[in-house]
Amino acid sequence: MKKNTVATFAEMKVRGEKISMLTAYDYSTAKLMDSSVNAILVGDSLGNVMLGYEDTVSVTMEDMITYGGAVARACQNAMVVIDMPFMSYQLSPVQALENAGRLMKEARANAVKLEGGETVAEQIRAITQAGIPVMAHIGMTPQSVNAFGGFKVQGKDAQQALQIVRDALAVQKAGAFSVVLECVPAALAGYITELLDIPTIGIGAGSDCDGQVLVYQDMLGLFSDYVPKFVKQYAKLGSAMKQAFDEYDAEVKSGAFPSVDKSYKMDDEIISLIKEKLQ
Ligand code: KIV
């Protein structure tokens, strides 16, 4: 199996082939996903779906290294992109490079992702110049939820749309190998996709992007706190899991589980011998 790399992304854009990406946060899930998709994102969305925070602001470098390392150990095909968490890169290009380096060395990422456009161009430049591939992320950037006043579609008016286009051009110029467009109107995403040489990966950004990414719990119907409009559920694993948990509970209580074939055997004589010895 040939590992997907930044070169694969570039070639796919040239050939007009769509790039598939999903999030994963653990070894078992990543192993199942590895041969199905081009890239796996260890997103800081793990703050929501794995840790139960209401947003991604509290996610730490240690969280990303722990979960990212588990995913990287499972992947032989998919490129593994690990998110840089809030405040791990905003302070300076030096801070950004140091933390990107940790994700590469300690978690064995193939690339890192960070949020922002023009304002983080210097950080992207410093990281890519050190030989670390960067996926940028613009539009609705969840780490800025407090500045946006909620998780809202971005780029609906001309001023915002122009800024998003400027951000896209800035991250490309700074050396990003691809860019996530999150929650922007489909027409704007389509325009940016045509304008850029690097691939765009959409989430809530319509079908004209060069690729798509979804949070795996969302597309499997595993996360029930809220379901964004752009999510398609390819399975309803949440209800299947709930049914299995209920069945297990009932069988434990009735004694149906574990059955004889799920138990280990020993000679009856040994139990008799023990009983005798204890008398
Ligand atoms: O953290 C994440 O999962 C992401 C995707 C939503 C793009 O950044």
Side-chain angles (χ1 to χ4, degrees):
M1 207 177 283
K2 197 164 158 265
K3 182 96 174 165
N4 283 267
T5 65
V6 292
T8 321
F9 267 52
E11 287 156 16
M12 288 178 82
K13 168 122 186 169
V14 170
R15 289 200 295 263
E17 271 174 48
K18 297 280 188 184
I19 299 164
S20 62
M21 188 171 192
L22 285 171
T23 68
Y25 317 93
D26 70 282
Y27 180 82
S28 310
T29 307
K31 202 144 194 192
L32 282 170
M33 201 182 274
D34 181 43
S35 58
S36 300
V37 293
N38 296 112
I40 294 183
L41 171 66
V42 186
D44 61 353
S45 49
L46 67 81
N48 306 93
V49 294
M50 302 297 289
L51 301 175
Y53 296 132
E54 65 185 32
D55 55 42
T56 56
V57 170
S58 302
V59 175
T60 64
M61 276 297 294
E62 277 58 41
D63 292 331
M64 298 314 300
I65 288 168
T66 303
Y67 290 94
V71 169
R73 286 189 287 279
C75 290
Q76 291 180 345
N77 166 67
M79 169 158 66
V80 176
V81 183
I82 304 186
D83 255 343
M84 301 195 67
F86 183 56
M87 282 301 136
S88 70
Y89 57 92
Q90 284 89 346
L91 298 187
S92 69
V94 171
Q95 184 213 21
L97 178 54
E98 195 171 341
N99 283 320
R102 285 193 68 196
L103 294 177
M104 301 298 284
K105 284 170 79 92
E106 296 175 46
R108 304 291 305 178
N110 301 127
V112 301
K113 177 167 84 56
L114 55 79
E115 295 182 7
E118 285 185 327
T119 56
V120 293
E122 284 315 309
Q123 279 84 335
I124 295 174
R125 190 161 290 114
I127 299 171
T128 54
Q129 280 179 354
I132 300 173
V134 174
M135 179 176 276
H137 182 161
I138 61 175
M140 207 289 289
T141 45
Q143 291 175 12
S144 304
V145 59
N146 292 299
F148 291 144
F151 297 101
K152 296 177 183 154
V153 177
Q154 299 295 305
K156 280 178 122 173
D157 65 49
Q159 199 189 341
Q160 269 186 6
L162 181 61
Q163 185 55 51
I164 293 172
V165 174
R166 287 198 169 120
D167 285 338
L169 290 168
V171 299
Q172 171 171 273
K173 192 164 172 221
F177 76 95
S178 70
V179 56
V180 169
L181 304 178
E182 179 162 355
C183 286
V184 298
L188 178 61
Y191 173 69
I192 293 172
T193 301
E194 264 187 36
L195 191 66
L196 296 189
D197 295 324
I198 59 172
T200 58
I201 308 294
I203 175 161
S207 62
D208 288 335
C209 296
D210 297 304
Q212 297 291 328
V213 60
L214 282 177
V215 169
Y216 93 87
Q217 285 90 341
D218 286 342
M219 58 87 74
L220 292 182
L222 283 171
F223 187 69
S224 54
D225 287 7
Y226 50 86
V227 180
K229 169 188 161 79
F230 57 78
V231 167
K232 176 173 175 185
Q233 289 186 337
Y234 287 81
K236 304 247 183 253
L237 295 196
S239 39
M241 283 172 74
K242 174 79 180 106
Q243 199 182 328
F245 298 147
D246 287 346
E247 208 177 310
Y248 168 77
D249 175 70
E251 288 201 355
V252 167
K253 286 176 178 145
S254 72
F257 178 82
S259 52
V260 174
D261 63 316
K262 302 282 180 220
S263 309
Y264 299 103
K265 293 191 179 77
M266 74 189 289
D267 288 343
D268 290 346
E269 286 162 28
I270 297 178
I271 293 289
S272 311
L273 205 72
I274 293 168
K275 283 184 183 162
E276 262 173 41
K277 291 233 181 266
L278 289 177
Q279 268 166 14

